[in-house]
Amino acid sequence: MQRRHFLKLAAAASLSGCEMRLPWQAPPLTVLRPGMAAGHALRDGLPAPDPAREREVEVAILGSGVAGLFAGWRLAQQGYRNFCVLAGPEPQGNAAGSALGGIPCPRGAHYLPLPSLESAHVRELLAAFGILRGNPSSARPEFDENVLVHAPEERLFINGAWQEGLLPQHGLEAEALAQIERFTARMQALREARGADGRRAFVMPLALSSQAPAWRALANESFANWLTREGFTAEALRWYADYCCRDDYGAGIEQVSAWAGIHYFASRGGHAANGEDGAVLTWPDGLAPLTRQMSATIGAERLLPGMALRVTPRGAGVEVLCLNGAEAFRLRAKRVVLAMPLHVAAHVLDLGEFGFDKARDLPQSASWLVSNFLLDGFPREASEEHPLAWDNLRYGGDTLGWVVATHQWIRAARPAQTVFSAYHALPPSTGRLWLQNAAQDELLELAGRDLRATYGRDFERRIQQVELTLRGHAMAIPAPGFLQRPGIAALRAADQHILFAHADLSGLSVFEEAAWWGEQAAHKILT
Amino acid sequence: MPHRLLILSVFIVASCGLAYELVAAALASYLLGDSVLQFSSIIGTYLFAMGVGSHLSKYIKDEDLLARFIDIELLVGLIGGVSATLLFVIFAWVAAPFRVVLYALVFALGVLVGMEIPLVMRVLNARKAEFAEIVSRVLTFDYLGALVVSLLFPIVLAPQLGLARTAFLFGIANAGVALVAAQAFRAELRQATALRLRASIVLLALIAGFVGAEAVTRWSERGIYGDQIVHAQTTPYQRLIVTQWKDDLRLYINGNLQFSSRDEHRYHEALVHPALSALAGARRVLVLGGGDGLAVRELLKYPGLEAITLVDLDPAMTQLFSTSATLTALNQHSLTNPRVQVINADAGQWLETAPGSYDAIIIDLPDPSSYGLGKLYSEPFYRLVSRHLSDTGLLVVQSTSPYFAPHAFWCVVTTLDEAGFHTFPYQAHVPSFGVWGFVLADRHGRYQPPKAYSVPLRWLDAEQTASMFRFPADMPRPEVEPNRLNNQALVRYFEEDWRRVIR
Ligand SMILES: Cc1cc2nc3c(=O)[nH]c(=O)nc-3n(C[C@H](O)[C@H](O)[C@H](O)COP(=O)(O)OP(=O)(O)OC[C@H]3O[C@@H](n4cnc5c(N)ncnc54)[C@H](O)[C@@H]3O)c2cc1C
């Protein structure tokens, strides 16, 4: 080695010395609890300062999650200008993104299934952003390959080895394999199932599903019950179904209704001209880029920081008392869209006026932990037969695996650093309290459980930074009975000065559903 | 007399001890790179092990001192002598446990060497020499031995003998000390004959090793590469090996042949000139991959080119081909030419952010043997490339063999079609590769192969060119999917095709 080169190296090493960590020092940790302080302040009814200023606007959208932004996007796209979006305590809500060490990564939602024909609103959105190409209502549109998940897509660690795909196969007994095959065929058939009203039984958005009582009755029992009744008893199959429900609904087969469980498998029949069935769309920071693009169409001038404290009907309009930091202001609007979770909406407005009974109608919510680990290099794989995939899961436990934020990068070599994002849905009954009280060590233990089990020390020593996002009230659980809540039906139907838009109106939380209620609100405003 | 002999042995023993340490460290930095790390960790391990050895020496009983000293010499000679050759063979044949063996050897040697000096001191002490005198003499010769080797090693031994034979040479010296000591002290030793016999066998074995070392290293090199290795380096991205046999230089990346200097001109003439000679006004050219500078050498034949940008992932690769005398003779110093700018970056990342458009883009990347490389043969990647190509510009992609890997080759063609290019696939015969394939592409389908070449070429001419664009009947175009990031079809085709060919 040349001396000059060596000196340069030495200089570089000493320069970066401040970032070096001794083995016993824990990596820098950030714990985020988006919306918690604001939500609890609202619940406790803290007094607000007098408003210092006032702003008049035709439509005020309160909340900048997927539902609020979609409503705003649709208005702007239709040339409607006189509106604003109040961001709320967490801009982008559950679809927010982050970046660690300059690497974008998700803090919540991370993928979108290929939209089915009925998800026309999502297809239109994707077409507007150039992600879906050609005719948005064709059965097999083309998608931007940059965001179609790259191969290898998923792998499962089961019976001591990795296998391709998440559906358990490796090392299973014939009976379990047969049941899994039967289950897959059954769900495939249920995609085409129709009710007496001619509609498909399980549709995304769920509001377009058949209303026939025969199908809706499935919403009254648990998915676990239904599986047993149908003879789906194999442990591997039940674990898989449970995993899918936990991954999307934040609760397992014992807690979610059979209707919701089946909906997961039977509602997403989208195809791509240039991707395999069952492919998903994903960005390095999850779905955050979609919220950013919607915000861009809405325009920065219409996005206001701050949260709503109180919504009061006043004459032919609505007054909204808002708080931004320490400063209060008032919005006067002809119409408002409450694009916030219902448990928050219940504190800014008396929902009883709409026939909404909190005790009866408010869904139980699931709690989530999203853990981003910035890693120096990629931990060593025990075998290269099934290399690191976008989504990596371990069979058997109640964890949800991890996704790789740099997976979609177009690179010949792996980047020097990456982010692994691990997901955990906590047990519905105890999860929220646990999140609130757990010590940092306990949070970290859960956050890294799968990764330590897979990579051991090699994972540990590569960690440069950790960001934990704790979501106590992350999403509504589609428990038995969730389709029969009169209060929810009332909020969906509201069409006067106050409209509602949030995934809570579906009772299950996915991008398409949230966007659907944004679409409905925009539609009411535009017609 | 025995006194002097022991002091002399200290000198030899000390030189040997240092020599093994240097051999191990030099070999490690040669094979693994990062010499600062290798030297410092090996010296550290070695010194620590010597401490362990000194400590252990106290467990040797006084009456066994001489016999154990001779045993230790033999063991040091044996382990140290074969160390370099053994490591090299392990590195050549089984890559994984190399570091483990390396540090185990260094540690074992350190422990044994660490026992030597305390033992000699105790032997002398037992002979009632004055203690102060012993310490002073022994340590003087100890340090003197170290000095001699530290000078000899880099100046004479390593360059003249090579690492393997240097190690054997010092092994012989150790065993020699043992034999001489067994002879000189035979009166005091209980099993003098057995010791002498052992010493002679080890000595002979080491001498045989010294003679045969060259052959063993060549054999292990040939085990992988067929020829003698003149450069071996493991970088963060790949393993680079340059071999030479007579006038044939070869580059291997991760064990795959990249070129042979015998016929690389065919490959690089075919890669560059059908495009460049069809572009009269070309000024700016981009090369992705091609860190060997051979494509750039061909490009530099066009005086009209003002700027050639080469983007290669691995700084070690472009560094090697910018500085090594044999290799720069081959690429005619192309990488240090003032018209050439070398950038070390991942082509995917670089294209995402770099501005500028080029009249020709030459993609000379390794074959699509991994998902990472597969991404650089995908439709979105070609669309990204397309953003950097001038409207009338030409793109050339090395596309593996249409004969051995037809699905892979035509998959590249189909992917380029899909990305909106008009494609002109062609193939050339490169003896060390067999039939090799390239895809030329433009935006408007106007490309015409050159009818004549104005630059000096060794192989390519108008007739060759015309026949290159014709695919004979035994190379039909199979039905293939384009390479999508969602399915990485190309990586699959490539694997399946080559699996059929390689037995
Ligand atoms: C961990 C996790 C992973 C997920 N993964 C996926 C996935 O992969 N794919 C998928 O499709 N879906 C996924 N989801 C679900 C998806 O994120 C949600 O369905 C969607 O983001 C919900 O959007 P929303 O607008 O209905 O509500 P939210 O995201 O809850 O947004 C509520 C908005 O209201 C605002 N707000 C709150 N209080 C007030 C107030 N007082 N005044 C004004 N504004 C207020 C907040 O700031 C926020 O902007 C995931 C969810 C979680 C939690």
Side-chain angles (χ1 to χ4, degrees):
Chain A
M1 184 188 299
Q2 285 170 8
R3 195 178 143 67
R4 260 196 25 238
H5 187 194
F6 172 71
L7 288 178
K8 267 195 289 186
L9 271 184
S14 57
L15 275 182
S16 63
C18 51
E19 282 177 26
M20 249 160 52
R21 212 159 26 86
L22 298 169
W24 56 86
Q25 288 178 317
L29 168 69
T30 318
V31 178
L32 304 169
R33 301 169 188 268
M36 187 175 96
H40 289 180
L42 263 181
R43 180 194 61 194
D44 303 339
L46 292 188
D50 286 333
R53 58 195 167 85
E54 231 177 60
R55 178 164 170 172
E56 209 149 322
V57 65
E58 232 165 67
V59 171
I61 298 170
L62 311 179
S64 65
V66 171
L69 289 175
F70 195 98
W73 171 77
R74 182 59 97 192
L75 292 181
Q77 185 235 15
Q78 294 294 314
Y80 192 96
R81 299 270 174 257
N82 195 352
F83 75 97
C84 69
V85 178
L86 185 68
E90 194 194 18
Q92 286 108 51
N94 283 327
S98 180
L100 297 191
I103 298 174
C105 52
R107 272 186 193 155
H110 53 298
Y111 76 94
L112 197 59
L114 293 177
S116 62
L117 272 172
E118 293 95 339
S119 288
H121 61 302
V122 174
R123 286 170 166 240
E124 270 178 61
L125 182 83
L126 296 175
F129 299 156
I131 295 157
L132 183 152
R133 299 185 183 131
N135 179 3
S137 47
S138 80
R140 262 180 197 282
E142 192 181 317
F143 291 90
D144 178 358
E145 256 184 64
N146 285 294
V147 306
L148 261 176
V149 63
H150 299 173
E153 186 172 340
E154 300 161 331
R155 61 174 185 166
L156 176 69
F157 190 81
I158 176 167
N159 292 322
W162 287 105
Q163 63 152 61
E164 201 183 321
L166 299 184
L167 193 62
Q169 300 284 319
H170 174 75
L172 294 188
E173 312 224 317
E175 167 62 16
L177 289 173
Q179 280 196 22
I180 287 173
E181 201 170 314
R182 187 160 62 83
F183 178 80
T184 315
R186 186 73 196 279
M187 292 299 142
Q188 186 71 37
L190 283 169
R191 280 188 191 165
E192 303 309 324
R194 280 172 199 275
D197 51 6
R199 292 197 189 168
R200 286 209 300 139
F202 303 97
V203 174
M204 189 100 90
L206 59 69
L208 299 184
S209 304
S210 167
Q211 301 297 308
W215 291 113
R216 292 172 68 90
L218 287 172
N220 296 331
E221 64 175 319
S222 74
F223 193 27
N225 235 3
W226 183 85
L227 287 170
T228 313
R229 202 149 46 73
E230 297 286 324
F232 293 120
T233 50
E235 195 184 310
L237 172 59
R238 291 177 81 92
W239 173 84
Y240 176 68
D242 190 63
Y243 155 75
C244 292
C245 292
R246 284 183 290 115
D247 196 42
D248 259 49
Y249 304 146
I253 54 175
E254 302 285 350
Q255 285 100 31
V256 308
S257 66
W259 195 93
I262 297 170
H263 185 265
Y264 173 92
F265 295 99
S267 67
R268 3 188 120 185
H271 307 286
N274 54 345
E276 275 147 30
D277 284 358
V280 301
L281 307 175
T282 186
W283 291 254
D285 40 353
L287 299 185
L290 288 180
T291 62
R292 274 201 299 275
Q293 297 205 58
M294 289 191 278
S295 305
T297 312
I298 290 167
E301 70 283 6
R302 290 191 193 82
L303 285 162
L304 308 182
M307 62 184 279
L309 294 180
R310 178 134 304 278
V311 173
T312 327
R314 193 76 87 213
V318 186
E319 259 182 37
V320 187
L321 177 63
C322 308
L323 187 68
N324 180 24
E327 186 214 28
F329 63 97
R330 187 175 287 127
L331 281 178
R332 285 182 193 283
K334 295 225 170 68
R335 294 177 116 173
V336 298
V337 179
L338 265 72
M340 60 189 77
L342 291 184
H343 72 273
V344 181
H347 290 298
V348 301
L349 178 69
D350 179 11
L351 294 181
E353 304 265 322
F354 296 83
F356 185 91
D357 174 358
K358 263 171 80 171
R360 180 192 62 195
D361 297 321
L362 197 63
Q364 194 192 3
S365 54
S367 306
W368 283 75
L369 170 64
V370 182
S371 320
N372 283 307
F373 294 94
L374 174 67
L375 302 180
D376 231 355
F378 288 69
R380 215 168 310 117
E381 297 286 336
S383 135
E384 277 303 324
E385 198 190 336
H386 293 287
L388 185 67
W390 167 67
D391 195 2
N392 305 271
L393 179 64
R394 294 179 71 88
Y395 172 76
D398 58 359
T399 56
L400 296 173
W402 70 95
V403 295
V404 178
T406 53
H407 184 80
Q408 298 291 102
W409 291 15
I410 297 185
R411 302 280 184 277
R414 284 181 158 174
Q417 292 198 314
T418 187
V419 173
F420 284 4
S421 313
Y423 283 80
H424 293 273
L426 291 127
S429 46
T430 54
R432 187 161 337 113
L433 257 183
W434 187 84
L435 278 185
Q436 218 171 333
N437 300 321
Q440 284 193 355
D441 285 354
E442 294 174 272
L443 290 173
L444 277 173
E445 193 283 320
L446 179 64
R449 197 178 284 171
D450 275 352
L451 288 158
R452 270 192 311 274
T454 306
Y455 301 113
R457 276 274 315 142
D458 195 39
F459 162 66
E460 215 86 59
R461 70 183 185 85
R462 291 175 191 277
I463 303 175
Q464 295 298 305
Q465 213 179 313
V466 186
E467 183 197 85
L468 303 181
T469 305
L470 280 51
R471 300 183 177 280
H473 295 270
M475 51 172 68
I477 297 175
F482 88 109
L483 286 183
Q484 273 90 7
R485 296 206 173 102
I488 299 274
L491 299 185
R492 287 181 181 182
D495 60 355
Q496 298 302 301
H497 301 308
I498 297 175
L499 311 173
F500 296 86
H502 190 274
D504 280 359
L505 295 187
S506 292
L508 58 82
S509 182
V510 290
F511 183 92
E512 299 91 316
E513 298 292 341
W516 170 257
W517 297 113
E519 171 82 327
Q520 299 316 302
H523 186 74
K524 288 174 192 166
I525 292 164
L526 289 167
T527 51
Chain B
M1 159 63 199
H3 264 190
R4 291 243 185 86
L5 187 74
L6 279 173
I7 296 292
L8 183 68
S9 80
V10 167
F11 177 78
I12 295 177
V13 160
S15 348
C16 295
L18 188 71
Y20 301 136
E21 185 181 332
L22 290 175
V23 165
L27 192 72
S29 28
Y30 171 64
L31 293 175
L32 304 177
D34 197 353
S35 53
V36 177
L37 175 74
Q38 308 303 350
F39 266 88
S40 113
S41 59
I42 283 177
I43 291 176
T45 310
Y46 194 78
L47 288 178
F48 170 68
M50 280 177 69
V52 174
S54 308
H55 175 78
L56 292 179
S57 70
K58 77 172 177 197
Y59 295 108
I60 292 176
K61 291 200 211 85
D62 279 339
E63 55 270 33
D64 291 342
L65 276 181
L66 262 175
R68 287 300 86 77
F69 173 71
I70 291 169
D71 280 341
I72 285 170
E73 285 311 291
L74 287 179
L75 214 53
V76 172
L78 201 59
I79 299 180
V82 300
S83 60
T85 309
L86 181 69
L87 284 171
F88 201 78
V89 170
I90 286 177
F91 190 76
W93 292 99
V94 274
F98 177 75
R99 273 168 220 260
V100 178
V101 178
L102 171 71
Y103 284 98
L105 274 180
V106 167
F107 191 83
L109 278 171
V111 170
L112 292 169
V113 170
M115 297 170 81
E116 288 172 338
I117 301 295
L119 288 187
V120 173
M121 288 202 186
R122 282 171 59 192
V123 172
L124 289 170
N125 199 26
R127 286 157 189 280
K128 315 258 184 296
E130 199 203 327
F131 187 66
E133 180 69 14
I134 300 174
V135 174
S136 130
R137 286 265 207 99
V138 166
L139 290 187
T140 307
F141 278 90
D142 184 13
Y143 293 129
L144 212 59
L147 173 70
V148 170
V149 168
S150 62
L151 293 176
L152 275 183
F153 180 77
I155 300 168
V156 184
L157 297 172
Q160 295 298 320
L161 290 180
L163 295 178
R165 284 203 287 171
T166 302
F168 275 115
L169 185 68
F170 284 95
I172 290 169
N174 271 128
V177 167
L179 187 63
V180 172
Q183 179 69 27
F185 297 105
R186 61 185 175 281
E188 299 168 39
L189 290 164
R190 252 178 287 159
Q191 296 163 316
T193 335
L195 270 179
R196 263 182 314 185
L197 186 64
R198 232 182 286 164
S200 314
I201 293 173
V202 171
L203 194 60
L204 281 178
L206 288 171
I207 291 173
F210 182 80
V211 176
E214 215 40 4
V216 175
T217 20
R218 276 228 218 91
W219 162 76
S220 50
E221 288 176 351
R222 216 161 262 150
I224 357 176
Y225 301 106
D227 294 328
Q228 194 189 337
I229 295 177
V230 294
H231 181 91
Q233 186 178 12
T234 304
T235 77
Y237 304 105
Q238 51 203 352
R239 189 160 152 65
L240 304 174
I241 303 273
V242 181
T243 69
Q244 183 161 28
W245 187 71
K246 298 203 174 142
D247 61 347
D248 185 12
L249 272 177
R250 287 168 179 239
L251 169 70
Y252 294 82
I253 295 183
N254 298 335
N256 297 320
L257 179 64
Q258 303 298 301
F259 69 74
S260 151
S261 62
R262 286 265 173 88
D263 57 16
E264 57 77 17
H265 64 277
R266 286 202 177 190
Y267 176 93
H268 291 103
E269 286 182 2
L271 176 69
V272 169
H273 299 291
L276 262 285
S277 284
L279 282 170
R283 304 223 174 290
R284 290 160 51 78
V285 177
L286 174 66
V287 181
L288 303 179
D292 53 27
L294 297 170
V296 176
R297 177 194 65 199
E298 295 302 314
L299 287 170
L300 287 168
K301 292 178 178 171
Y302 295 87
L305 289 189
E306 286 161 7
I308 299 169
T309 307
L310 178 127
V311 181
D312 191 286
L313 183 60
D314 194 347
M317 174 88 177
T318 47
Q319 177 78 14
L320 177 66
F321 280 85
S322 305
T323 52
S324 148
T326 29
L327 298 173
T328 51
L330 188 64
N331 68 21
Q332 295 170 7
H333 300 272
S334 61
L335 294 184
T336 46
N337 187 292
R339 284 194 277 160
V340 178
Q341 188 194 6
V342 175
I343 291 163
N344 293 119
D346 197 301
Q349 180 178 26
W350 187 81
L351 286 174
E352 277 167 18
T353 50
S357 102
Y358 297 86
D359 302 312
I361 299 181
I362 293 176
I363 306 187
D364 189 15
L365 292 167
D367 289 342
S369 56
S370 69
Y371 286 126
L373 282 163
K375 289 190 173 192
L376 269 55
Y377 285 84
S378 66
E379 190 209 313
F381 180 75
Y382 290 138
R383 285 189 192 276
L384 192 59
V385 168
S386 171
R387 294 218 300 260
H388 293 268
L389 190 67
S390 69
D391 187 53
T392 54
L394 292 175
L395 169 69
V396 192
V397 185
Q398 93 78 7
S399 323
T400 176
S401 170
Y403 187 77
F404 297 117
H407 298 87
F409 177 81
W410 291 103
C411 176
V412 178
V413 179
T414 310
T415 310
L416 281 162
D417 287 338
E418 190 95 343
F421 284 104
H422 292 263
T423 48
F424 305 85
Y426 61 100
Q427 41 87 22
H429 184 71
V430 184
S432 53
F433 287 170
V435 177
W436 211 255
F438 307 85
V439 187
L440 216 150
D442 74 0
R443 287 243 170 70
H444 305 293
R446 296 203 201 110
Y447 172 75
Q448 291 288 336
K451 296 271 185 298
Y453 290 97
S454 59
V455 295
L457 298 176
R458 289 175 64 187
W459 165 74
L460 195 61
D461 58 20
E463 269 164 60
Q464 274 300 345
T465 308
S467 73
M468 284 198 309
F469 284 87
R470 266 198 312 273
F471 279 77
D474 63 352
M475 278 192 255
R477 177 175 189 163
E479 196 54 49
V480 287
E481 291 176 73
N483 184 35
R484 304 192 188 292
L485 290 172
N486 179 230
N487 61 10
Q488 292 259 12
L490 179 60
V491 175
R492 231 176 44 230
Y493 287 138
F494 181 79
E495 248 173 42
E496 285 166 11
D497 282 349
W498 282 101
R499 204 177 311 133
R500 265 196 290 274
V501 180
I502 299 168
R503 266 163 295 212

